[in-house]
Amino acid sequence: DGGITQSPKYLFRKEGQNVTLSCEQNLNHDAMYWYRQDPGQGLRLIYYSQIVNDFQKGDIAEGYSVSREKKESFPLTVTSAQKNPTAFYLCASSIADRGDNEQFFGPGTRLTVL
Amino acid sequence: AQTVTQSQPEMSVQEAETVTLSCTYDTSESDYYLFWYKQPPSRQMILVIRQEAYKQQNATENRFSVNFQKAAKSFSLKISDSQLGDAAMYFCAYRTFYNTDKLIFGTGTRLQVFP
């Protein structure tokens, strides 16, 4: 079945540690996105990539980093510089270059900083 | 900058009845896209319906329809014959026509469906 997978579903991190969230898609989509969801704030864009080896900052990129070495994969690293990392993280993908294209979302990763 | 506002944090409806969720947005652009996404308790976002701003006809998908008022910058979602499975968070989202990098989301409306 085609879709987006995110792992792990739940992740716990100690303060000061970096942690990487996985996102993989087999939809052959060019564009991939990372969103952060906090209670009462909707989704906010962290990073996006429209092609392999290229990515752009979104609205809240500080404290995060990404890579796009393969079309299928777009991992997100939450660094120790992120002041309030506890949140729900959603990865999405779409066919690039058209605004009406649906973004398909993964099931998300809940990150908790202890 | 574009903004999306959902002024109803929570709504409730009885099974088989109709409910309307409100969404307003602010933009200076004339061409854009609007979306309603559903987030059930599983938390996976699912596209419900989309509307192109250049189309005057309101989009419809089975029991879901929108009332798109471009001049008023309003984009409400009507759910007819509500079912228990419709219970979820609903997010309104905006995307520009030319800059396809992101969706701009509202804060969501939690819909409860009572039997």
Side-chain angles (χ1 to χ4, degrees):
Chain A
D1 289 333
I4 301 176
T5 57
Q6 290 186 242
S7 61
K9 187 172 182 179
Y10 299 98
L11 189 57
F12 297 89
R13 189 196 90 176
K14 293 182 180 178
E15 282 193 28
Q17 288 181 337
N18 292 354
V19 63
T20 298
L21 282 59
S22 169
C23 177
E24 303 276 334
Q25 55 97 1
N26 60 4
L27 301 168
N28 200 32
H29 286 168
D30 293 303
M32 297 187 74
Y33 313 82
W34 274 106
Y35 291 92
R36 170 178 171 145
Q37 185 176 20
D38 294 282
Q41 292 196 44
L43 280 71
R44 294 178 291 169
L45 183 69
I46 305 172
Y47 268 98
Y48 66 99
S49 167
Q50 292 192 331
I51 195 169
V52 174
N53 292 323
D54 186 52
F55 47 83
Q56 304 296 328
K57 293 182 179 180
D59 296 322
I60 55 166
E62 184 176 351
Y64 299 97
S65 65
V66 294
S67 62
R68 188 84 187 278
E69 298 176 359
K70 298 186 299 181
K71 187 176 185 178
E72 305 81 24
S73 178
F74 191 42
L76 173 74
T77 297
V78 184
T79 74
S80 56
Q82 168 51 233
K83 298 302 181 190
N84 185 21
T86 294
F88 188 66
Y89 292 87
L90 284 159
C91 178
S93 71
S94 73
I95 300 171
D97 297 332
R98 282 189 54 178
D100 63 336
N101 283 324
E102 176 182 355
Q103 287 192 11
F104 292 82
F105 285 81
T109 293
R110 174 71 183 176
L111 173 64
T112 302
V113 174
L114 303 173
Chain B
Q2 298 88 7
T3 59
V4 177
T5 302
Q6 293 180 250
S7 58
Q8 306 157 316
E10 290 192 8
M11 292 283 285
S12 61
V13 64
Q14 201 146 20
E15 207 174 1
E17 297 296 310
T18 295
V19 65
T20 298
L21 308 184
S22 300
C23 173
T24 59
Y25 57 94
D26 188 26
T27 184
S28 59
E29 300 173 339
S30 58
D31 292 323
Y32 48 87
Y33 302 92
L34 295 165
F35 304 84
W36 278 99
Y37 276 87
K38 171 184 178 181
Q39 188 179 42
S42 67
R43 304 202 73 175
Q44 183 146 10
M45 301 281 283
I46 304 164
L47 178 66
V48 175
I49 199 165
R50 84 187 83 190
Q51 174 80 42
E52 294 87 349
Y54 57 84
K55 290 186 178 178
Q56 292 186 337
Q57 186 172 6
N58 289 324
T60 299
E61 289 286 344
N62 300 316
R63 298 183 294 106
F64 299 87
S65 62
V66 298
N67 183 5
F68 174 49
Q69 302 288 329
K70 191 174 184 179
K73 297 179 182 177
S74 171
F75 182 60
S76 61
L77 174 70
K78 186 172 81 171
I79 306 174
S80 304
D81 186 25
S82 297
Q83 301 175 359
L84 295 177
D86 295 333
M89 284 288 290
Y90 287 83
F91 292 94
C92 178
Y94 172 102
R95 196 175 193 186
T96 68
F97 185 85
Y98 298 103
N99 186 2
T100 59
D101 60 347
K102 66 180 178 183
L103 290 165
I104 300 169
F105 286 87
T107 52
T109 296
R110 181 174 301 281
L111 178 66
Q112 293 182 305
V113 182
F114 295 101

